[in-house]
Amino acid sequence: MNSLIPFNRPFIAGKELHYIAQAVTLGNISGDGEFARRCTSIMEERFGIKKILLTPSCTASLELSAMLLNIGPGDEVIMPAYTFVSTANAFVRAGAKPVFVDIRPDTLNLDARLVEQAITEKTKAIVPVHYAGVSCEMDLILTLAEKYDLKVIEDAAQGVNAQYNQKYLGSLGQLGCYSFHETKNFICGEGGALCLNSEELIDRAHIIRDKGTNRQAFFQGQVDKYTWCDIGSSFVLSEINCAFLYAQLEMFDEINQRRKEIFDFYYENLLALENNQQLRLPCVPEDCLSNHHMFYILLPNKTLRDGLLNHLKKLQIHAVFHFVPLHSAPMGKTWDYKHGDLPVTEQAADCLLRLPFYYEITTEEQQRVVDEIQQFLLENTAVSQTEVLRARNALQ
Ligand SMILES: *Cc1c(COP(=O)(O)O)cnc(C)c1O
């Protein structure tokens, strides 16, 4: 029996425990200490972002965004349904209505061409989600946002260190949200960041993130005591997590390079199957530089996808499907969406399979995944051809 190939295995860069020990020794383990400073300055410099605030998760960053932009009852927020629940929940819990727009068949990102017709008097913001670390068509989205005076909040949970037209994701909208959850490229267990690209939002973001107090201004000596100033919550990332994260961010280039190699191996070795029209590989448009967050394949239909998923599972290879589209989930249905409303989204959800992908996956393991996909499609194409013949004979 072959050994198990998991879907994900959190990557440990090596110095995490060393830096955590340092944080403990330094004596400040709550947040916004030395390691938070190091992490944010690496990212602000590299990504060209005015201000980055570390948060406990991308979910928290999205919630902070909703509070910061005063999004609430009566407002509509445009987003894809092919995304993680937090993209919608952050705005729904504030009282706003999610307006789901279909995705592009090539990148599986929000279809910018369908956004304009979804804009109403009530629309307050657009939330593009950069799926798999490949950017949405931001030029078009930003142009529409300007034309209709809307805010853009990038859900760049999967897009840390990826680019669009030479600009880093998270630096394009008014706000950008990152995730450092253990399933993402750069991790600290649970963690996230809010990217602030408008100077005028920075002071209030500090206050909301720190329980609605001006503690930040107090620490900077701008006020002599801190007090309750605004709405807020507890959205500061612990220094212990920051210390862990710093060990990962020091290895930006190595992690990126390794993920590219893994991606390229799958791509090159599955290309023959795509050329044969037996499956479809990920598409990265010319103006996008991916961070290789994941590798997915699209099968011709759900039956083949589910069949392949089970075939791989029996062989101890853990491939997984992805999002249940939000409009067809029990909560999403409360806004009167129904199956068939977003055909491209539904097709992608039915046919997509994500392959095992982690820093330490070996070439032998990747080869095994490729071989088993080939084997399965060979057998199942043969079966379907037999069925075609049988059906034809039955008709004669
Ligand atoms: C992972 C993910 C999130 C949530 O990130 P957390 O840090 O776990 O809160 C949000 N949106 C998308 C698109 C994601 O992939």
Side-chain angles (χ1 to χ4, degrees), residues 57-59 62 83-84 86-87 129 155 157-158 179-181 184 190-191 323:
S57 62
C58 181
T59 303
L62 288 161
T83 182
F84 190 63
S86 298
T87 315
V129 177
D155 181 339
Q158 303 178 13
S179 174
F180 306 116
H181 184 265
K184 304 299 201 286
E190 298 270 2
F323 306 125

Side-chain angles (χ1 to χ4, degrees), residues 299 301-311 321 350 376:
L299 283 302
N301 57 55
K302 187 171 191 303
T303 312
L304 272 177
R305 193 278 306 271
D306 292 345
L308 177 56
L309 185 69
N310 287 327
H311 173 78
F321 55 84
D350 282 349
F376 175 85

Side-chain angles (χ1 to χ4, degrees), residues 1-5 265-266 311-318 362-375:
M1 191 73 197
N2 275 316
S3 58
L4 174 101
I5 305 180
F265 184 92
Y266 277 138
H311 173 78
L312 295 175
K313 199 190 255 172
K314 274 189 220 127
L315 297 162
Q316 299 258 67
I317 298 171
H318 286 183
T362 63
T363 307
E364 293 70 33
E365 287 170 323
Q366 282 199 275
Q367 189 63 55
R368 231 180 91 204
V369 176
V370 168
D371 289 346
E372 292 305 340
I373 295 171
Q374 276 167 344
Q375 188 61 29

Side-chain angles (χ1 to χ4, degrees), residues 17-29 35 239-240 242-243:
L17 291 175
H18 172 71
Y19 289 139
I20 288 172
Q22 269 190 22
V24 172
T25 310
L26 283 170
N28 167 21
I29 50 171
F35 285 98
E239 267 294 286
I240 300 187
C242 297

